[in-house]
Amino acid sequence: EVQLVESGGGLVQPGRSMKLTCGASGFTFSNYHMAWVRQAPTKGLEWVASISNGGDNTYYRDSVKGRFTISRDNAKSTLYLEMDSLRPEDTATYYCARHIVDYGYNYFDYWGQGVMVTVSS
Amino acid sequence: DIVLTQSPATLSVTPGESVSLSCRASQGISTGIHWYQQKSNGSPRLLIKHASQSISGIPSRFSGSGSRTDFTLSISRVESEDLSVYYCQQSFSMPLTFGSGTKLEIK
């Protein structure tokens, strides 16, 4: 059974940093792209970043480019999101998701339970 | 960025009815649309990929159709457990974007 378990969220002040972790099990982690998708309170879903299966290629939405870093450790089946210079608008539940690239189309077939990040003074 | 407009924002249905949820793209995206279901306080779940392809484990009452700019998620014989928000997502170009969702309410 595929499982994705996020950790590392909480309350952080604007301008500070936070690192999220996603532990994966139930599949061969190194064979799959992975992603972070977030959801602000009472809002819709927003793709944040993705990383290729080997970690060579990373992709970000413009609003987090230069502030967030997605990375992975295939030996530990773990995905990370390092978030710097956090802003109140980064407040959201962050989901780890398995990212499928299928005939050129990209979608997310498994999701974690999510972890809440609150950016506030 | 490709904008996805979902309508209606809220849909109230009686169990046993069939419904159609719309997702319109701001430009042609072939069949690069995928649908998700999110129950209250839950994580999203993939329902349909590539506009119309079914997903293992998803009830057959969920189906998708459409191409280019207009897409539909159909639910036949709605059940009370279908109470959720439904999102479409495009993968034609980066950044990957989602619609704002349609909330399905059960009468």
Side-chain angles (χ1 to χ4, degrees), chain B residues 68-80:
Chain B
R68 261 206 103 242
T69 59
D70 290 295
F71 303 88
T72 300
L73 174 69
S74 299
I75 312 173
S76 61
R77 302 178 305 281
V78 168
E79 299 183 6
S80 55

Side-chain angles (χ1 to χ4, degrees), chain A residues 37 39 43-47 50 59-62 95 99 102-114, chain B residues 1 29-32 34 36 38 42-46 49-50 87 89-92 94-96 98-100:
Chain A
V37 178
Q39 185 170 35
K43 301 297 185 184
L45 301 166
E46 182 175 80
W47 169 76
S50 291
Y59 310 86
Y60 299 91
R61 68 178 303 103
D62 284 350
Y95 294 99
H99 180 158
D102 183 4
Y103 293 98
Y105 292 134
N106 298 257
Y107 56 91
F108 312 105
D109 66 343
Y110 286 96
W111 300 63
Q113 85 286 354
Chain B
D1 298 2
I29 59 171
S30 186
T31 57
H34 319 285
Y36 301 85
Q38 185 177 31
S43 302
R45 177 173 74 150
L46 179 67
K49 65 178 182 177
H50 297 198
Y87 294 97
Q89 174 241 320
Q90 69 79 23
S91 63
F92 187 78
M94 299 295 262
L96 306 177
F98 291 85
S100 55

Side-chain angles (χ1 to χ4, degrees), chain B residues 44-56:
Chain B
R45 177 173 74 150
L46 179 67
L47 292 178
I48 297 287
K49 65 178 182 177
H50 297 198
S52 61
Q53 294 185 14
S54 59
I55 300 297
S56 175

